[in-house]
Amino acid sequence: MDAPAKAKSYVAYAAEAQTVAAGKSTVLELRFRVIEGYHVNSHTPKQDFLIPTTLKLDAADGVKAGPLEYPAGKMYSFSFDPTEKLDVYAGDFTVKLPVVAAAGEHTVSGVLRYQACDNAACYPPKTLPVQVLFTAK
Amino acid sequence: MVAVISLVLWAGWHNLRARRLALQKEQEEHVLLLPDVPQKPGDEAVDTKTDSPSPLLHKPAPQFTLSTLDGKEVSLSDFKGRPVVVNFWATWCAPCKVEMPWFEEFSKKYAADGFAVLGLADDADAGKDAIAKSAGKLGVTYPILLTDGNVQKAYGTDEAGYLPMSFYVDKTGKIVEVTAGLGPKDELEAKVKETIAGAK
């Protein structure tokens, strides 16, 4: 067996320029994609010690951010033990960020922490830098 | 003049934002188009006999001395002359937790053959309490050892970059099987039996 090549990242952030109404409560959608063949724990894994997917965002001038809203996970079991139920994100998942922003261009920086597995093995926790760019008009 | 400078600054800022967006998009595409996606260690773990899963296969098991959760030192050489599984796991590793109760069962079932399991916690930074609690919840009573960084290098688990990984060491101290990723329970038991039977 060749040693499996290590993927550098198992999750990608789909950056997109978004425009919101200035001074009004708006929800930004932050889209992520777990690469095919892998899954990551959801924000609320069902087992102790499993590392939840968590997005930490820095404060940004002119942006009042509300609590992040994470999607519900999907149930997953390893084929060798169908009784063990995990709560995971696979494929696309969207984290919602409620904001009220002053007029202008904004960048909210942060880091997504996650821990990925495939159908039989798990990879150490990783982080993904994220920059949410949007304009309030 | 001020207007020109402002315009230049604005243009630079605007370009910076555009570049940031483009850079993130490029990173996204890079991640999604990685060519190594179809390679899954678990698939390879199902059949490790015909391939060479580790350069350590058929070689003497690297020696180590590590601390247990209660501070005692345990060496691989303490188990000289006995078949041993050296199992690397971590508190965050769900498939590790599927196979650990199986290893607990095998350690009892084949105790009369001198068979032993050593569980090497790869995430020593999680802390002894978390490791002890995690192993305890799984009903594990075989020794749990705290890794020191060197043992991962010696066994190549740091290079592989995934868990679980197990090394089956026969009575002569040679590695006779290596599993990478979770496999079926009956296959693991067959490997335990082969390890007890000795070198082929």
Side-chain angles (χ1 to χ4, degrees):
Chain A
M1 159 185 110
D2 293 329
K6 281 183 283 183
K8 283 180 184 168
S9 300
Y10 305 98
V11 179
Y13 170 56
E16 53 191 327
Q18 300 184 63
T19 302
V20 303
K24 289 190 177 172
S25 183
T26 315
V27 175
L28 293 172
E29 296 199 337
L30 283 47
R31 297 179 215 283
F32 296 90
R33 176 169 290 179
V34 183
I35 60 176
E36 198 183 338
Y38 296 85
H39 60 263
V40 300
N41 295 317
S42 75
H43 184 61
T44 51
K46 302 291 180 214
Q47 290 182 338
D48 289 343
F49 303 109
L50 297 191
I51 293 170
T53 294
T54 308
L55 181 62
K56 284 199 174 161
L57 297 173
D58 300 333
D61 287 345
V63 180
K64 190 180 169 191
L68 289 163
E69 296 164 22
Y70 293 89
K74 294 171 191 162
M75 198 185 288
Y76 180 88
S77 295
F78 293 105
S79 60
F80 303 128
D81 184 8
T83 61
E84 194 74 26
K85 311 284 188 203
L86 302 174
D87 198 64
V88 306
Y89 298 145
D92 296 344
F93 69 95
T94 301
V95 178
K96 291 180 178 173
L97 169 62
V99 292
V100 179
E105 292 181 327
H106 300 285
T107 302
V108 181
S109 299
V111 172
L112 184 83
R113 185 169 190 248
Y114 64 90
Q115 189 269 306
C117 299
D118 60 27
N119 65 340
C122 289
Y123 301 79
K126 291 189 87 73
T127 54
L128 173 73
V130 170
Q131 285 192 321
V132 184
L133 295 107
F134 68 99
T135 303
K137 285 183 179 171
Chain B
M1 186 64 183
V2 172
V4 170
I5 290 172
S6 300
L7 186 64
V8 168
L9 287 174
W10 178 86
W13 172 241
H14 187 73
N15 282 338
L16 178 65
R17 288 178 66 81
R19 282 207 307 276
R20 278 180 182 163
L21 192 64
L23 184 66
Q24 291 197 100
K25 286 194 173 183
E26 194 179 299
Q27 283 169 344
E28 179 201 356
E29 283 170 14
H30 177 71
V31 169
L32 298 179
L33 296 175
L34 275 179
D36 58 7
V37 171
Q39 297 189 25
K40 294 175 198 159
D43 293 346
E44 292 150 337
V46 172
D47 185 4
T48 55
K49 282 189 171 178
T50 53
D51 299 313
S52 178
S54 162
L56 289 177
L57 190 61
H58 307 309
K59 299 220 170 105
Q63 294 296 316
F64 56 79
T65 299
L66 298 168
S67 294
T68 61
L69 292 169
D70 49 7
K72 290 177 190 156
E73 286 202 333
V74 169
S75 300
L76 183 60
S77 58
D78 299 341
F79 297 84
K80 197 174 176 184
R82 296 173 61 183
V84 180
V85 166
V86 178
N87 171 242
F88 288 83
W89 69 286
T91 56
W92 44 257
C93 171
C96 302
K97 293 174 177 177
V98 171
E99 66 174 17
M100 286 169 76
W102 299 346
F103 282 128
E104 175 67 20
E105 184 186 323
F106 302 152
S107 71
K108 292 199 167 90
K109 189 172 176 182
Y110 299 105
D113 298 298
F115 177 66
V117 179
L118 297 175
L120 275 59
D122 196 48
D123 57 340
D125 56 345
K128 285 183 191 175
D129 289 350
I131 292 167
K133 198 174 165 192
S134 189
K137 275 189 85 168
L138 298 167
V140 167
T141 60
Y142 55 76
I144 296 295
L145 309 181
L146 301 170
T147 52
D148 58 1
N150 293 325
V151 71
Q152 291 100 317
K153 285 194 183 77
Y155 281 79
T157 58
D158 60 341
E159 180 64 26
Y162 56 83
L163 294 173
M165 280 193 85
S166 296
F167 298 82
Y168 295 68
V169 184
D170 74 1
K171 293 172 197 168
T172 69
K174 197 169 73 174
I175 293 174
V176 292
E177 294 280 0
V178 177
T179 54
L182 181 67
K185 184 181 178 184
D186 55 355
E187 282 198 15
L188 290 196
E189 185 164 12
K191 290 180 197 303
V192 168
K193 286 181 180 174
E194 285 169 19
T195 307
I196 292 168
K200 286 165 274 185

